[in-house]
Amino acid sequence: MDETLAVDLRQITKQFGTTLANDHVNFQVRKGEIHALLGENGAGKSTVMCMLSGVYRPTSGEILLNGAVARIHSPKDAVKLGVGMVFQNFRLVPSLTAAENIVLGETHQVWRTKAWMARKTAEIEALATRFGLPFNAGRQVWQLSVGEQQRVEIVKTLYRGAELIILDEPTSVLTPGEADQLFVTLQQLRSEGKTVILTTHKLKEVMAVADRISVMRKGKMLATLDRSATDEREVARLMVGQDRQEPRPRKARLKGPTLLDMRNLVVIGDHGRHALEDFHMTIHEGEIVGIAGVAGNGQKELAEVLAGLRMWKSGTITFRDTKWKGASVRHSIESGISHVPENRMKSGLAGSLGSVDNLLVKSYRTPARSKMGFLRHAENRLWSQGLVEQFDVKTAHLDAPVHHMSGGNQQKLLFAREIHQRPHLMVAVHPSQGLDVGATDGVHNLLMTLRDEGKSVLLISEDLDELLLLSDRIVVLFGGRVMGEVTHDAADREHLGMMMAGVV
Amino acid sequence: MNQRGKFRLEIDPSGKESPWWVTVLAVVLAFGLVAVFIAATGKNPGAVYAKMLGGAFGTEFGLTETLVKAIPLMLCGLGVSLAYRIQVWNIGAEGQFVAGALAATAVTIYLPGLPFWIALPLMLTVGMLAGAVWGLFTALPKVLFNVNELIISLMLNYVALLALDFFVFGPWRDPAGMNFPGTRPFTAEESLPVLGATRLHFGLILGLLAVALAAAFVKTTRWGYELRLIGANPEAARHAGINIRGHIVVVMLLSGGLAGIAGMAEVSGVTHRLLYGISPGYGYTAIIVAWIARLNPFGIVVSAVLFGGLIVGGYSVQTLGLPSSISSLLQGSVLFFLIAGSILGKVRVRWN
Ligand SMILES: Nc1ncnc2c1ncn2[C@@H]1O[C@H](COP(=O)(O)OP(=O)(O)OP(=O)(O)O)[C@@H](O)[C@H]1O
Ligand SMILES: [Mg+2]
């Protein structure tokens, strides 16, 4: 019995139907360390975490917490044993305040008087300040940014007395600045003796924050390494089983004719304020234009206008020499604009439907997919099977609901749907979100191929590395206006950062 | 291994659909609960249930009566299930049913003496249209002003029922009917054909046809695909350029139209006149029928027959001195346990 281990998984196996998600996994986490769990999409990382937090129960094997066999039969048991989990899609009630969300489920207090709530709010705020997790506890959750909501989730686990904090892909929804702040918090947690397990697909982050690293592949645990004794390259090779794909060499660009021209655009956002103000942008055929900017500076609205989801107030949009009259999703789809939305499960995919139905979303009206109002059932299955194989989407079978797929595989399915028709313009918002290194390289190469074929991409991302790697030009948005524009060769990280902050 | 470790319960948070056994369990629990009430009256629940079963399915008369009751349940249940597919909570099948019955009867009142080959198709068409219009009254405020369809469709039930009262007590009352609130009897030309000497009428074929068509369309057409997508994730449907409001209007027209056909079939096939209280709540029972079947068209055929049997069985226990409202009690309990089950349905039973 080893008292220094916060977590000790012994021969854990988890089976979903015919899928072996975890195959005799041994996994040890020491007390007071930050432990990164890595692996390709579908390797079984989320499954391990869900078993620790009582969402799933292992098919076989033993879980030991702090040296003792633990019976974790429900999330409640996990909380009692001091395990707290922050899921990727947060589980907060939007209409309640942050403080109310945190005390939710506290059963020993029936009467929630004002005084009691005030006391609790103070307690929560003290806890939040101690760990450097600032948010306004009296605000309703829907008014908080994604980063703040994540802090609420973390404070919630601490408030419930968690000693082990599990975070599933915490940085995939954060801006780089917010991610840095999260790492400071994690270090603070460690210094107070808490244990942290997290997953991420960004190796840089792992190297920056983790003490030890465990790598999984295809449901099996491969190795646990000390951060100080390894490097990015070794970890990547372990994860993928081979060296990384070489990035596609950037071909010289032939500047094509104008594809999209937006002038004097004014767009009203959800809360009635101007999201885009006097916005100008031109995209030529055969180029990748990156949009850099801190989230909430009009990127979302820009993507929605192009996808036909949002009307603009004034200004003109000309696409392939045709002036747009109004916003229409069907018109956008039919004129060859595809859209990878920022939140795949909210607006991209229908979780309870299978792969075929989800792949059909954009193309079911085309003659290849349906005839005289009837879907071509057999052809569509064959076509879906082809896409699933081509894009390496791992799913138990074509009819399995997509919410059973791992996060990265959902993203691959969505990306496959949007790119396979060779759109004239692909509006991609965080296209590699949740993808492992290999799949990210794959997505990057596909976008470059699209560009080399003379098609165009509007790449909206908060990941400067991705923008710098792919974009022919980067346009910086600040407060709904264009702050500036740089070409691929002249792009300079520092200068971009200043523009994103609205300084230059 | 511990003693109680044979069975274990597991929560599957991703499970959006409750497993099939929840439905079965809900029915079993409902019968169990009502058994307590029967026992409280001093009767043997087993004997009462046996009597119900025999009354509903044991004889040719019982069986055809059960099917007669199943027809409106099937049509109305199919109608509401279409609306529920896209999360439109139409509880107005009762009113749409009555609207169909009223319109079909209007043909017999204002255009008497038509030959059957004109009268019946005409009655069917106007019955369906009236139900559809009644459905439209629910759809339009919803899509134009975002008014909650639960409230409108419920209110419209009362409007339709009061209109029914007005006509059967007023202008359409049969002068030869000794003050009985009902219209004159339909002629043979205005009545749907029946099977032999039974009361089982042509409406059964209409119902089965509607089910088959609906199932085929939902599965194979683009329209059905759009319904599936809206039902699974309306936001994704919006991103696909699907006109959700248009679908709500069309589905409510269909939903109401199917209930309207049921109303027409009831007056023309069973009662052969319009009566006060023409529906013993078919439109409401249809809601349970649709949920028991989990909105599956063929499941609706099965659950409609089961609930038809419940109604007929309820009548047959009257000879034992129990009120027929026992079947309402059973229906209510089934619905109660179904709703509870959809929450508990996230729990999975695992065999170690
Ligand atoms: N509820 C479920 N039902 C069926 N299969 C599931 C379920 N949850 C996960 N799986 C399967 O188990 C495997 C592992 O999934 P898991 O979510 O643990 O992967 P992951 O390592 O978190 O991947 P990603 O990086 O893409 O998030 C996948 O093949 C997935 O399809
Ligand atoms: Mg995962």
Side-chain angles (χ1 to χ4, degrees):
Chain A
M1 199 169 274
D2 192 344
E3 294 284 344
T4 63
L5 290 181
V7 174
D8 188 0
L9 299 193
R10 295 188 179 167
Q11 298 290 318
I12 290 284
T13 294
K14 176 71 191 177
Q15 190 138 18
F16 293 107
T18 54
T19 314
L20 201 54
N22 282 175
D23 184 3
H24 296 93
V25 166
N26 292 313
F27 178 44
Q28 298 183 328
V29 179
R30 294 188 193 131
K31 266 186 201 158
E33 73 172 350
I34 299 178
H35 198 117
L37 186 56
L38 304 185
E40 309 175 276
N41 293 130
K45 307 176 295 290
S46 298
T47 308
V48 165
M49 293 180 149
C50 285
M51 285 188 294
L52 280 171
S53 60
V55 178
Y56 297 144
R57 289 185 54 186
T59 310
S60 67
E62 252 184 346
I63 300 179
L64 281 76
L65 292 178
N66 302 317
V69 175
R71 297 172 50 97
I72 313 176
H73 292 184
S74 70
K76 242 187 202 139
D77 290 349
V79 170
K80 268 191 223 133
L81 291 163
V83 180
M85 175 144 175
V86 177
F87 294 91
Q88 195 177 350
N89 38 350
F90 307 141
R91 301 178 174 195
L92 299 171
V93 185
S95 57
L96 295 183
T97 67
E100 283 167 344
N101 262 289
I102 290 171
V103 299
L104 203 67
E106 225 167 280
T107 42
H108 44 262
Q109 180 71 34
V110 183
W111 303 108
R112 305 204 158 171
T113 57
K114 271 220 172 89
W116 180 82
M117 201 59 223
R119 208 165 56 241
K120 288 287 165 186
T121 307
E123 204 177 303
I124 287 164
E125 273 171 351
L127 197 62
T129 321
R130 194 169 110 210
F131 290 99
L133 293 158
F135 57 85
N136 187 338
R139 276 252 177 120
Q140 290 178 344
V141 162
W142 64 268
Q143 295 175 308
L144 302 178
S145 74
V146 177
E148 286 172 319
Q149 291 186 21
Q150 188 177 62
R151 287 177 217 150
V152 176
E153 287 273 20
I154 297 175
V155 170
K156 188 162 129 189
T157 64
L158 294 170
Y159 177 82
R160 294 182 175 178
E163 287 300 316
L164 171 65
I165 294 149
I166 305 176
L167 303 122
D168 196 359
E169 295 193 30
T171 54
S172 67
V173 290
L174 299 183
T175 63
E178 285 173 327
D180 290 341
Q181 206 173 347
L182 172 69
F183 296 145
V184 174
T185 299
L186 294 187
Q187 273 148 4
Q188 176 72 24
L189 288 171
R190 176 177 55 190
S191 71
E192 300 230 358
K194 312 267 183 198
T195 309
V196 176
I197 305 178
L198 79 160
T199 57
T200 171
H201 291 293
K202 296 174 190 153
L203 292 180
K204 273 211 181 96
E205 298 179 351
V206 176
M207 290 300 159
V209 73
D211 298 312
R212 292 201 304 153
I213 299 163
S214 290
V215 182
M216 293 184 74
R217 196 195 311 156
K218 299 198 172 124
K220 293 205 170 74
M221 184 61 75
L222 291 185
T224 298
L225 311 162
D226 271 323
R227 191 260 325 261
S228 48
T230 184
D231 59 19
E232 255 184 63
R233 211 183 143 81
E234 186 188 358
V235 174
R237 194 167 46 230
L238 260 179
M239 273 170 67
V240 192
Q242 64 201 35
D243 270 320
R244 281 179 73 169
Q245 220 175 324
E246 275 306 307
R248 201 183 152 88
R250 169 176 288 272
K251 280 194 204 145
R253 181 167 61 100
L254 306 164
K255 190 164 176 167
T258 304
L259 177 75
L260 170 76
D261 187 32
M262 302 172 107
R263 285 186 192 194
N264 304 97
L265 214 57
V266 177
V267 176
I268 311 285
D270 280 335
H271 300 296
R273 59 183 179 81
H274 285 197
L276 289 179
E277 186 83 70
D278 191 25
F279 179 80
H280 292 264
M281 190 175 65
T282 311
I283 299 181
H284 296 272
E285 284 179 17
E287 70 172 345
I288 299 181
V289 177
I291 297 281
V294 178
N297 277 287
Q299 298 95 320
K300 177 172 157 257
E301 288 80 2
L302 174 61
E304 285 178 352
V305 166
L306 287 171
L309 289 158
R310 185 180 288 274
M311 191 54 202
W312 58 99
K313 194 177 159 211
S314 61
T316 58
I317 300 176
T318 315
F319 185 71
R320 301 185 78 210
D321 300 326
T322 318
K323 204 169 142 188
W324 280 12
K325 294 192 188 68
S328 152
V329 179
R330 280 189 67 173
H331 178 254
S332 288
I333 294 174
E334 277 154 20
S335 35
I337 296 180
S338 72
H339 178 209
V340 176
E342 71 181 322
N343 188 332
R344 57 176 173 256
M345 285 324 270
K346 191 166 154 245
S347 44
L349 300 171
S352 57
L353 300 183
S355 299
V356 182
D357 281 347
N358 273 294
L359 283 170
L360 279 171
V361 165
K362 291 289 175 75
S363 55
Y364 71 95
R365 298 186 185 93
T366 59
R369 306 274 70 89
S370 62
K371 192 168 99 186
M372 289 166 47
F374 286 88
L375 294 171
R376 297 174 186 268
H377 184 72
E379 284 99 320
N380 293 349
R381 283 191 79 83
L382 228 66
W383 164 78
S384 304
Q385 184 66 42
L387 281 178
V388 161
E389 278 163 19
Q390 184 191 341
F391 286 85
D392 192 30
V393 180
K394 290 188 195 90
T395 174
H397 52 94
L398 280 181
D399 300 310
V402 299
H403 63 67
H404 282 171
M405 285 165 42
S406 83
N409 282 300
Q410 292 167 354
Q411 187 73 16
K412 286 191 216 169
L413 190 79
L414 180 62
F415 188 79
R417 177 180 88 201
E418 298 298 330
I419 202 173
H420 87 278
Q421 301 214 78
R422 321 312 300 175
H424 289 294
L425 175 66
M426 179 151 184
V427 180
V429 188
H430 311 314
S432 58
Q433 144 183 204
L435 294 183
D436 60 40
V437 260
T440 302
D441 292 346
V443 160
H444 289 170
N445 281 345
L446 284 166
L447 289 175
M448 283 305 264
T449 315
L450 199 65
R451 160 199 185 262
D452 292 344
E453 285 170 9
K455 315 285 190 192
S456 310
V457 179
L458 183 69
L459 177 66
I460 300 180
S461 177
E462 271 147 19
D463 183 347
L464 267 186
D465 293 319
E466 186 168 61
L467 285 172
L468 288 167
L469 177 74
L470 296 175
S471 314
D472 294 302
R473 288 187 290 139
I474 299 179
V475 173
V476 183
L477 265 186
F478 182 76
R481 290 171 191 272
V482 175
M483 272 303 279
E485 188 185 313
V486 288
T487 60
H488 176 80
D489 300 324
D492 157 41
R493 189 176 276 275
E494 213 155 295
H495 184 219
L496 278 173
M498 304 260 276
M499 288 200 287
M500 285 166 73
V503 182
V504 226
Chain B
M1 192 197 238
N2 58 329
Q3 281 309 83
R4 27 185 205 123
K6 272 275 176 219
F7 267 125
R8 59 199 171 87
L9 295 176
E10 191 163 288
I11 290 172
D12 181 359
S14 59
K16 296 220 167 68
E17 284 215 336
S18 34
W20 60 269
W21 57 262
V22 168
T23 310
V24 176
L25 193 66
V27 174
V28 171
L29 286 176
F31 275 85
L33 180 69
V34 174
V36 176
F37 287 98
I38 296 172
T41 67
K43 304 266 185 319
N44 175 359
V48 171
Y49 287 152
K51 176 95 184 161
M52 284 181 79
L53 193 67
F57 300 102
T59 63
E60 192 195 309
F61 173 76
L63 196 59
T64 55
E65 277 304 298
T66 293
L67 291 177
V68 166
K69 304 276 186 250
I71 294 166
L73 293 178
M74 200 186 298
L75 283 160
C76 295
L78 183 66
V80 293
S81 78
L82 286 177
Y84 297 163
R85 258 172 198 278
I86 59 168
Q87 297 170 20
V88 172
W89 309 118
N90 171 23
I91 54 170
E94 186 78 359
Q96 293 145 13
F97 174 93
V98 168
L102 273 168
T105 308
V107 172
T108 69
I109 303 280
Y110 298 114
L111 299 168
L114 292 175
F116 76 92
W117 51 273
I118 298 182
L120 289 177
L122 188 64
M123 288 164 73
L124 186 66
T125 311
V126 297
M128 183 173 73
L129 284 179
V133 166
W134 221 249
L136 192 66
F137 287 160
T138 300
L140 287 183
K142 176 167 175 74
V143 297
L144 295 179
F145 310 112
N146 212 9
V147 184
N148 188 318
E149 72 275 15
L150 274 168
I151 295 169
I152 324 171
S153 58
L154 183 64
M155 291 304 169
L156 282 170
N157 287 347
Y158 296 111
V159 176
L161 287 167
L162 289 171
L164 171 70
D165 289 357
F166 169 75
F167 284 108
V168 295
F169 281 103
W172 292 358
R173 173 143 63 180
D174 182 10
M178 296 184 291
N179 262 348
F180 181 73
T183 60
R184 70 156 173 83
F186 290 7
T187 63
E189 304 274 316
E190 292 157 353
S191 299
L192 285 173
V194 293
L195 180 77
T198 69
R199 300 208 304 156
L200 187 56
H201 56 91
F202 187 73
L204 184 64
I205 298 190
L206 291 177
L208 292 175
L209 202 66
V211 165
L213 279 176
F217 270 67
V218 166
K219 196 167 180 324
T220 62
T221 64
R222 271 173 18 188
W223 172 76
Y225 171 74
E226 290 176 343
L227 290 192
R228 254 182 289 150
L229 198 57
I230 298 173
N233 184 353
E235 191 56 25
R238 206 169 71 86
H239 278 65
I242 292 171
N243 177 357
I244 298 181
R245 288 165 188 222
H247 273 287
I248 293 177
V249 170
V250 171
V251 162
M252 279 308 297
L253 282 171
L254 283 172
S255 187
L258 285 165
I261 294 176
M264 176 273 171
E266 193 69 9
V267 287
S268 171
V270 182
T271 60
H272 303 294
R273 57 162 50 151
L274 188 65
L275 292 174
Y276 169 72
I278 181 80
S279 163
Y282 288 134
Y284 295 114
T285 305
I287 299 170
I288 314 175
V289 166
W291 279 118
I292 285 263
R294 314 172 94 211
L295 312 185
N296 176 308
F298 298 110
I300 286 172
V301 176
V302 176
S303 64
V305 172
L306 286 178
F307 273 76
L310 207 57
I311 297 173
V312 174
Y315 293 140
S316 68
V317 293
Q318 283 171 318
T319 57
L320 296 178
L322 279 170
S324 67
S325 56
I326 193 156
S327 64
S328 313
L329 196 58
L330 274 168
Q331 287 174 25
S333 317
V334 169
L335 186 62
F336 172 80
F337 284 112
L338 262 187
I339 293 171
S342 68
I343 296 157
L344 294 175
K346 291 193 194 286
V347 178
R348 301 274 187 273
V349 181
R350 288 282 139 84
W351 183 260
N352 250 2

